[in-house]
């Protein structure tokens, strides 16, 4: 073929016609996995990478926390927080959470809550918000503040309504809240005193933030402590009626919290029963054990069978296998701080109105005591 007929790039390289080098079989090199000895991060790494050095320091803080050396762990976390670049959001959140948990164990709850509130304001997805709410729950539980603990659980449930364990914790919190509210109400009522200008006694309901008025009859003399003998019997009757009314109020408060606890436990049991068919081993054992514990707790309530059936119907209206499956495989919602606030409830009243209103309407005789003024007639 003539030289002019060669196409551009069509020439063969000389290396194509060279003989290949003979390959001699060699035994394969053994695989050596990198081993990290216990507490390897206490050794001198000699790394010039600032991020790696801070990561090693964080491991030291985590180990100190595991050993319950909370002051030492706090020092490690605080040192890291000062050195971290502002762009390292992930480690910043981890370190701040570590600081808050150390502060809780050290009894510095106010500082811990400030960190948790800051983390909540900077949350950008549902995972961040869920983690922060669990942190706030830990802080409030350590403070034994039942009302704030309940509100944290309510916000968690508003994000994950099909999580049975949060519902179970909410039921326990309501169980503890009932006697506490009743005792607080009794104590505040004992402290009430009548002055010369008293025509109304204010009885504060700590569970609602509202004042309920106990109104005296118009004929009651203004000097309500030192009364004439002619009005003595009438005022004794009024005071007796007040005492009975206060007793009924305490009973109503206790009943309401028991109802909420019962509804929360029933919701827990329904969710566990739905997940039971997909569980095995220790997960199934825990499920069945929790259901039995709930059954034992239910015996403490004095609700009739038709009331329990009504509660189960209301608390299970939205429980269907498809919804539960979607909840398990839900994606993380990255919606930003502003939009996240709309996913969580704004108040405890909003949550209770959504979940317990239909049940509370079943208790009409007691409902009047929660939402109306109590008139004491002569």
């Amino acid at each position: 073929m003539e030289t002019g007929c060669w196409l551009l790039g069509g020439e063969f390289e000389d290396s194509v016609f060279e003989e290949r080098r003979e390959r001699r079989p060699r035994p394969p090199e053994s695989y050596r996995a990198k081993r990290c000895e216990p507490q390897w991060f206490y050794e001198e790494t000699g790394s010039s990478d600032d991020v790696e050095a801070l990561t090693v320091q964080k491991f030291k803080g985590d180990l100190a926390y595991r050993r319950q050396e909370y002051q030492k762990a706090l020092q490690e976390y605080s040192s890291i927080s000062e050195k971290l670049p502002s762009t390292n959001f992930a480690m910043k959140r981890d370190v701040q959470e570590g600081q808050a948990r150390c502060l809780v164990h050290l009894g510095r709850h106010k500082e811990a809550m400030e960190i948790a509130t800051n983390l909540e304001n900077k949350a950008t997805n549902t995972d961040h918000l869920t983690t922060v709410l669990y942190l706030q729950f830990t802080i409030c539980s350590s403070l034994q503040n039942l009302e704030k603990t309940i509100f944290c659980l309510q916000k968690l449930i508003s994000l994950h309504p099909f999580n049975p364990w949060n519902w179970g914790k909410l039921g326990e919190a309501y169980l503890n809240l009932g006697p506490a509210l009743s005792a607080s109400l009794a104590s505040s009522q004992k402290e009430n005193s009548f002055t010369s200008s008293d025509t109304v006694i204010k009885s504060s309901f700590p569970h609602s933030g509202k004042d309920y008025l106990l109104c005296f009859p118009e004929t009651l003399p203004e000097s309500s402590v030192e009364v004439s003998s002619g009005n003595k019997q009438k005022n004794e009757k009024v005071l007796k009626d007040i005492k009975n009314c206060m007793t009924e109020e305490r009973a109503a408060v206790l009943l309401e919290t028991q109802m909420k606890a019962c509804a929360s436990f029933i919701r827990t049991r329904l969710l566990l029963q739905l997940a039971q068919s997909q569980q095995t081993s220790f997960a199934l054992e825990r499920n069945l054990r929790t259901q039995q514990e709930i059954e034992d707790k239910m015996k403490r309530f004095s609700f009739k069978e038709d009331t329990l059936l009504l509660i189960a119907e209301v608390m299970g209206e939205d429980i269907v296998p498809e919804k539960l499956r979607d909840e398990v495989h839900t994606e993380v919602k990255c919606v930003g701080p502003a939009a996240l606030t709309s996913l969580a409830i704004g108040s405890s009243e909003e949550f209770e109105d959504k979940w317990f209103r239909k049940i509370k309407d079943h208790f009409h005789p007691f409902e009047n005591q929660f939402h109306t003024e109590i008139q004491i007639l002569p």
Side-chain angles (χ1 to χ4, degrees):
M1 184 179 293
E2 297 180 1
T3 307
C5 298
W6 286 99
L7 297 176
L8 182 62
E11 300 89 350
F12 291 104
E13 295 288 343
D14 293 338
S15 60
V16 175
F17 302 99
E18 293 180 357
E19 294 184 1
R20 294 182 180 179
R21 294 180 181 179
E22 183 180 355
R23 293 183 178 180
R24 296 179 180 178
R26 296 179 180 177
E29 295 182 3
S30 59
Y31 173 73
R32 295 181 180 180
K34 183 179 180 180
R35 296 178 60 184
C36 293
E37 298 296 332
Q39 303 180 31
W40 61 269
F41 40 82
Y42 275 105
E43 300 175 0
E44 292 293 334
T45 58
S47 174
S48 59
D49 189 350
D50 292 340
V51 175
E52 184 176 347
L54 292 174
T55 303
V56 168
Q57 191 173 355
K58 182 180 179 299
F59 289 154
K60 295 179 182 179
D62 293 341
L63 180 61
Y65 184 89
R66 177 68 180 270
R67 290 174 171 174
Q68 300 183 6
E69 299 172 354
Y70 302 118
Q71 187 60 50
K72 181 179 179 180
L74 178 61
Q75 291 173 354
E76 295 284 2
Y77 291 139
S78 300
S79 176
I80 298 169
S81 183
E82 294 173 358
K83 300 174 185 176
L84 270 175
S86 57
T87 54
N88 197 336
F89 301 109
M91 186 179 288
K92 190 80 171 178
R93 283 194 305 271
D94 288 346
V95 168
Q96 287 182 326
E97 182 182 350
Q99 287 178 291
R101 294 189 180 276
C102 288
L103 289 168
V104 170
H105 287 288
L106 294 172
R108 297 159 61 179
H109 298 90
K110 184 178 179 181
E111 297 172 67
M113 186 57 76
E114 288 175 357
I115 294 176
T117 303
N118 181 53
L119 286 171
E120 183 179 9
N121 295 334
K122 293 182 178 179
T124 57
N125 60 53
T126 51
D127 266 8
H128 294 169
L129 185 56
T130 301
T131 301
V132 173
L133 290 176
Y134 276 120
L135 174 60
Q136 292 179 351
F137 168 73
T138 300
I139 298 171
C140 295
S141 299
S142 179
L143 280 170
Q144 296 184 345
N145 189 322
L146 285 172
E147 291 185 343
K148 289 186 177 180
T149 299
I150 286 174
F151 187 43
C152 289
L153 289 169
Q154 289 171 342
K155 289 197 287 186
L156 278 167
I157 289 172
S158 68
L159 283 178
H160 308 287
F162 300 105
N163 184 313
W165 309 112
N166 289 336
W167 279 104
K169 292 175 185 175
L170 182 63
E172 291 286 354
Y174 276 129
L175 270 187
N176 296 327
L177 181 66
L181 281 179
S182 182
S184 176
L185 184 59
S187 176
S188 65
Q189 289 166 348
K190 287 180 181 179
E191 293 175 359
N192 284 334
S193 59
F194 307 143
T195 64
S196 59
S197 60
D198 276 336
T199 56
V200 174
I201 302 175
K202 287 188 176 181
S203 176
S204 174
F205 276 65
H207 69 290
S208 63
K210 299 179 181 178
D211 285 335
Y212 295 82
L213 306 181
L214 303 178
C215 302
F216 284 94
E218 294 179 358
T219 57
L220 186 66
E222 291 187 358
S223 55
S224 56
V225 177
E226 297 179 1
V227 295
S228 63
S229 59
N231 292 328
K232 185 176 181 179
Q233 291 182 349
K234 180 183 293 186
N235 286 291
E236 285 179 352
K237 181 179 182 301
V238 170
L239 293 175
K240 184 179 180 181
D241 290 340
I242 292 174
K243 184 177 180 180
N244 293 337
C245 185
M246 290 176 175
T247 302
E248 291 177 0
E249 288 174 0
R250 292 197 298 271
V253 168
L254 187 59
L255 176 67
E256 183 181 7
T257 54
Q258 284 186 344
M259 176 272 294
K260 295 172 186 175
C262 180
S264 300
F265 284 134
I266 288 178
R267 171 85 174 180
T268 304
R269 184 177 60 187
L270 291 172
L271 290 169
L272 290 174
Q273 288 173 345
L274 190 59
Q276 180 178 327
S277 61
Q278 302 175 0
Q279 295 175 329
T280 58
S281 186
F282 63 90
L284 180 59
E285 291 177 6
R286 184 189 180 193
N287 184 326
L288 297 176
R289 184 172 63 252
T290 305
Q291 289 190 49
Q292 184 57 51
E293 291 172 357
I294 290 174
E295 289 295 333
D296 296 338
K297 288 183 175 69
M298 298 297 291
K299 296 175 183 177
R300 299 167 57 181
F301 303 115
S302 58
F303 299 124
K304 297 180 180 179
E305 189 63 28
D306 60 337
T307 301
L308 295 175
L309 290 174
L310 170 69
I311 294 175
E313 180 182 351
V314 172
M315 299 307 292
E317 284 179 344
D318 65 328
I319 298 179
V320 292
E322 290 75 15
K323 283 190 175 183
L324 187 62
R325 185 164 54 250
D326 292 341
E327 169 70 10
V328 173
H329 301 289
T330 185
E331 295 181 359
V332 178
K333 298 179 181 178
C334 301
V335 293
L340 275 178
T341 57
S342 63
L343 296 178
I345 56 168
S347 67
S348 184
E349 289 77 12
E350 180 184 343
F351 177 91
E352 292 179 355
D353 186 70
K354 174 182 178 180
W355 290 100
F356 304 135
R357 170 54 55 189
K358 291 182 180 180
I359 303 172
K360 288 175 70 175
D361 289 344
H362 182 69
F363 296 87
H364 284 297
F366 300 92
E367 187 73 9
N368 294 331
Q369 295 183 15
F370 299 134
H371 299 287
T372 62
E373 292 182 354
I374 304 174
Q375 301 289 335
I376 300 180
L377 301 176

